[in-house]
Amino acid sequence: MASHAHYANAATISQASEVKSALHWLSSNENADGSFESYGQIPTPGAALALWLNDSHSAQAAKSFAWIASQLDNSSSYTWGEADIPGAMLYTLAASNNIVLLHNFSSVSPELGAYQQQSSGFIGYYAQSPDGSYAQVTTSVDTAMALCGMS
């Protein structure tokens, strides 16, 4: 019968292989501009952080960080549709020590703060009202991600 150490070692080898495979997949699915997927504002922060955590000198992560900063610097980009997206992007730049990539840092925090409601939560997606109209609503994910970005 195999020992517990044998199974633990096999799991570690398997996990390392799985991580390497997933990082390879991310690397081969990055867009030329550094974003990921069609609406890059949502998946790019997480993908960039994963690449950077594996290799803090990753050229691909650096390209993604530059793309993220360009989106935050552009107040008319899709980034600014709800609070969670700029919050996640700002957190990613701060966690990776890339906040210096922002050209308009002084305007980013007030733009994010503008999503905070009197209830103290942050607005995000559009929910349908009983009358059929849509309005942005305060959500836990928007509030949490905005706070991550602002901290």
Side-chain angles (χ1 to χ4, degrees):
M1 180 171 197
S3 70
H4 176 52
H6 171 78
Y7 287 118
N9 188 39
T12 302
I13 292 169
S14 175
Q15 289 171 343
S17 176
E18 290 168 359
V19 167
K20 186 176 179 179
S21 175
L23 288 166
H24 175 72
W25 185 89
L26 276 177
S27 296
S28 60
N29 282 280
E30 183 178 38
N31 295 327
D33 64 1
S35 66
F36 286 83
E37 302 182 24
S38 297
Y39 295 97
Q41 293 84 352
I42 297 168
T44 301
L49 201 53
L51 290 169
W52 179 79
L53 287 169
N54 181 65
D55 176 4
S56 62
H57 301 297
S58 166
Q60 288 183 285
K63 190 188 312 183
S64 292
F65 294 140
W67 184 86
I68 290 169
S70 75
Q71 297 299 298
L72 285 169
D73 282 333
N74 179 358
S75 62
S76 64
S77 80
Y78 175 76
T79 296
W80 294 104
E82 30 185 283
D84 59 338
I85 296 169
M89 291 177 140
L90 196 55
Y91 173 80
T92 296
L93 291 180
S96 63
N97 298 311
N98 282 289
I99 207 79
V100 297
L101 296 174
L102 288 172
H103 296 121
N104 298 317
F105 179 72
S106 61
S107 68
V108 170
S109 186
E111 284 189 59
L112 187 53
Y115 289 95
Q116 189 171 16
Q117 302 302 288
Q118 288 181 342
S119 66
S120 299
F122 286 73
I123 57 173
Y125 80 98
Y126 286 81
Q128 189 171 18
S129 301
D131 68 2
S133 64
Y134 287 85
Q136 275 189 301
V137 296
T138 304
T139 70
S140 58
V141 71
D142 287 287
T143 301
M145 293 314 301
L147 289 172
C148 284
M150 296 173 84
S151 58

